[in-house]
Amino acid sequence: MFESEPESAADPEDADPTTAKPRLERQRILKAGADFIEQFGVRQLTMRRLGTELGVEAMSLYRYVPSRESLLDGIVETVIDQLYEDPEVYVEPRHGWQDYLLRLAHGLRRLALAHPQVFPLIATRPAEAPWVRPPLRSLRWVESFLKALTSTGFSEKAAVDAYRAFSSFLIGHLLLEVAAMGADVGPVEEAEPHPPKEADLGGYPLLQRLQKLLSEDHSAQEFEESLENLLDRLENLAG
Amino acid sequence: MFESEPESAADPEDADPTTAKPRLERQRILKAGADFIEQFGVRQLTMRRLGTELGVEAMSLYRYVPSRESLLDGIVETVIDQLYEDPEVYVEPRHGWQDYLLRLAHGLRRLALAHPQVFPLIATRPAEAPWVRPPLRSLRWVESFLKALTSTGFSEKAAVDAYRAFSSFLIGHLLLEVAAMGADVGPVEEAEPHPPKEADLGGYPLLQRLQKLLSEDHSAQEFEESLENLLDRLENLAG
DNA sequence: GGATCTTGCTTACGACGTAAGCAAAGCATG
DNA sequence: CATGCTTTGCTTACGTCGTAAGCAAGATCC
């Protein structure tokens, strides 16, 4: 995992971040935090534990992060910033707004599925400004979104409406999808891997009969269909 | 507010609940917890504080609640159980499935707006069974939903699809709506009432220009329109 | 009179987040 | 070289948390 001490270096451009610890920078902490959450859940992330994870005392982290809360904020931020590194997602529309939105939606879904434990934080943590909604949590992405639409035929009002519709669609779908994966913004879950947690279906005959149907996973396909439906609806706004 | 719990004995009829403490029952604790969260946020809710709120030591609560986590679960449960007391919402369809869904959706929205601080918990806490989605968190409601649809022309598969679409629609809309109200599943926020938190819009010209448009609140109307659109879509599933 | 329950209090333990100060190591200057 | 400043991480310490364990006072029933 770690251990190996080529310390010194100092080179701020980190050519290869996987080799050894390059002196505990903010990015390294946030990355480790994200990984930790993905592995053990938010509840398990404490300053002390993250410290030992990085081979360092808890208090050392405070040089780079003012508090646990802002650590979480930072983690959320770095995770959604990965959208910029997704080669499938364009910050500017290249083949029309539909293509732009499709790529953006798929990129966000990929992000959510890659970070099922972090995603609920993305969804519920307060944003930079009240009208910046999850999961597009940053001003930059909102700007990108609005620009993409207004530059391809949407009126400003239509673009804003589209932004709202898009946000709530994505948040709803992705949150439920990662929740179904066993996301765990809440209880501890300790060492138990996952007891099937069979509920008592006595008295719920329909549930009993439809249980199989209900537990089938069509998320990907549902996502696709609903997304297309959304785009169709937006087409009417475009004008 | 409500009584009708013949618990064990000892006269559960409480003449005047506001004057003195009527012996600390589970329901009383959960109600107090919900109120507390609504007033100060989840983060502020500790066993000790809830204890003193009820005029009791923290450890006394453990007679009725096995842990803080399950306290939160209980609070979530009692809040969504209020749906049953909403006279506008029917457990069985009386005027067709559209009417049923409209009433259900509006009832849930009322609930969310009445408990903006608790609602994110409703949205993110793990449910009884993996396929029971928020915000219809209980087996009873899922059963009711499925029965309403299958008894009014939906095939079983269509009813399940409708259930999923309905869930993700509601969760998306309501979560964003309460988040916009300043819901706070996360940071502490302490005593500060709400600093405007003006973000720096330098470099985001579109955001600057559309800020007013973006911060306008059309939630109610948006909700109505999207809900109707959803119902239209479901009509195609009905057959 | 016991017994046995029920209820709430008391004490205590091992986390936790984090304030405050300290030690060592890197650096620039004389 | 010594000097001092800055950066980094460690140490210690405080108050708060969730909660295990045991206790005391009443209620209930024999």
Side-chain angles (χ1 to χ4, degrees), chain A residues 23-24 48 55-60 63-64:
Chain A
R23 212 178 87 256
L24 191 63
R48 290 177 224 253
V56 131
E57 291 296 311
M59 289 309 293
S60 303
R63 293 267 163 212
Y64 304 89

Side-chain angles (χ1 to χ4, degrees), chain B residues 24 57 59-60 63-64:
Chain B
L24 193 62
E57 291 298 310
M59 288 310 294
S60 303
R63 293 269 162 210
Y64 304 90

Side-chain angles (χ1 to χ4, degrees), chain B residues 52-77:
Chain B
T52 60
E53 192 81 359
L54 289 162
V56 131
E57 291 298 310
M59 288 310 294
S60 303
L61 302 177
Y62 284 90
R63 293 269 162 210
Y64 304 90
V65 153
S67 72
R68 190 190 116 110
E69 289 301 328
S70 72
L71 167 68
L72 291 180
D73 284 340
I75 290 172
V76 163
E77 199 184 314

Side-chain angles (χ1 to χ4, degrees), chain A residues 45-70:
Chain A
L45 175 59
T46 71
M47 300 303 275
R48 290 177 224 253
R49 283 212 260 268
L50 183 56
T52 61
E53 192 81 359
L54 289 162
V56 131
E57 291 296 311
M59 289 309 293
S60 303
L61 302 177
Y62 284 89
R63 293 267 163 212
Y64 304 89
V65 153
S67 70
R68 191 189 114 108
E69 289 301 329
S70 72

Side-chain angles (χ1 to χ4, degrees), chain A residues 2 4-5 17 27 54 66 100-101 141 146 157 205 211 227:
Chain A
F2 35 71
S4 65
E5 281 273 342
Q27 277 314 311
L54 289 162
Y100 171 86
L101 288 186
W141 272 113
L146 295 173
K157 175 158 187 345
Q211 184 173 8
L227 179 55

